[in-house]
Structure formats: C-alpha cells, structure tokens
Amino acid sequence: MNGNKNKPDAARKKQLLEEYKNRRPEMGVIALTCRQTGESFLGASKNTQADFNSLCFKLSARGFPNRRLQELWNQYGPQGFDLTVLETLNPKELSEDEGPRLEKLRQSYLDRNPKAQKIWR
C-alpha cells in the first residue's frame, strides 16, 4: 500500500500555500446584540470571524474591559446573544489601511441605533 496516498503533491501544496497567503479576511462592522435587553455592541473589524472568536473567548473568561457587555454576557451567556456582521467592505475595493473607513461605517450604525455602543472603548 502506498503511504503517500493521502498527501497532496508538491504543486497542490504550493497552490494551497499561495491561496492562504493571498486570502483576505472579511472586514466590516460586527454586532453582539443581547436578545433580552436589545442592547447592541458594535465593532469595526478587520477580520470578522477572528474578532467574533476572540470576543467570545474573552467574554467567557470574564475579563472583558467593556463592563456592561461583560455583565450581560455573565447573566445571559453566549446563547443570549446574536453575533451579526452588519456590513462588509467589498474585498475588491480594499486598500492597505481600512481602519478609518471601518470606523466611519461603525459610527454610522451607532448614530442610527440609540441602544448601541462600541464593543471596544
């Protein structure tokens, strides 16, 4: 039996590595919304999936700096929140530093929702 049966060949490995290097994470405005209170916490994210994972981990560890968000998480748990990507930037239009554009987009959502506040202060 050939031991190399499940190993990708060198060309495929190179292709996968190139795709990994050239990938662009989803950027946009994220929201954690408490189902019980309707309070929303918005963030400008350069990698939505990584930020959701990081937020959930930090909140579960009970050491998140946003006290109100932490209180709600402690009371209702992860099942008490909706995690949503409100809007993403078009990957074809991205430049090197999208921070200011993301902040402006987040601010527009904060301005429209009186129950919303920033995730990160």
Side-chain angles (χ1 to χ4, degrees):
M1 182 170 219
N2 185 351
N4 293 330
K5 183 178 177 180
N6 293 326
K7 291 184 180 180
D9 61 11
R12 177 73 177 139
K13 246 185 191 175
K14 186 176 181 178
Q15 175 193 1
L16 291 172
L17 183 60
E18 197 61 34
E19 287 173 10
Y20 178 79
K21 286 180 183 178
N22 293 324
R23 79 189 190 301
R24 293 218 169 186
E26 182 179 70
M27 293 184 189
V29 177
I30 60 173
L32 279 79
T33 305
C34 180
R35 292 182 185 143
Q36 293 293 319
T37 67
E39 292 171 84
S40 290
F41 300 86
L42 308 182
S45 174
K46 291 186 178 183
N47 186 332
T48 60
Q49 205 53 51
D51 283 341
F52 278 137
N53 290 340
S54 175
L55 285 166
C56 290
F57 176 80
K58 290 174 183 175
L59 287 162
S60 294
R62 298 179 177 259
F64 199 72
N66 184 323
R67 287 187 180 148
R68 181 62 182 154
L69 177 54
Q70 185 66 66
E71 288 170 3
L72 293 170
W73 189 272
N74 293 348
Q75 185 173 358
Y76 300 111
Q79 65 280 359
F81 283 81
D82 291 319
L83 281 62
T84 312
V85 177
L86 298 175
E87 189 170 339
T88 59
L89 299 181
N90 184 340
K92 294 178 182 175
E93 297 174 0
L94 296 179
S95 64
E96 281 300 309
D97 183 20
E98 291 296 342
R101 191 168 153 203
L102 286 167
E103 287 297 329
K104 186 176 179 182
L105 190 58
R106 176 180 64 174
Q107 190 59 49
S108 73
Y109 278 93
L110 287 167
D111 292 343
R112 289 183 260 166
N113 184 347
K115 282 193 165 189
Q117 59 180 288
K118 294 178 182 179
I119 293 173
W120 304 282
R121 300 211 176 255

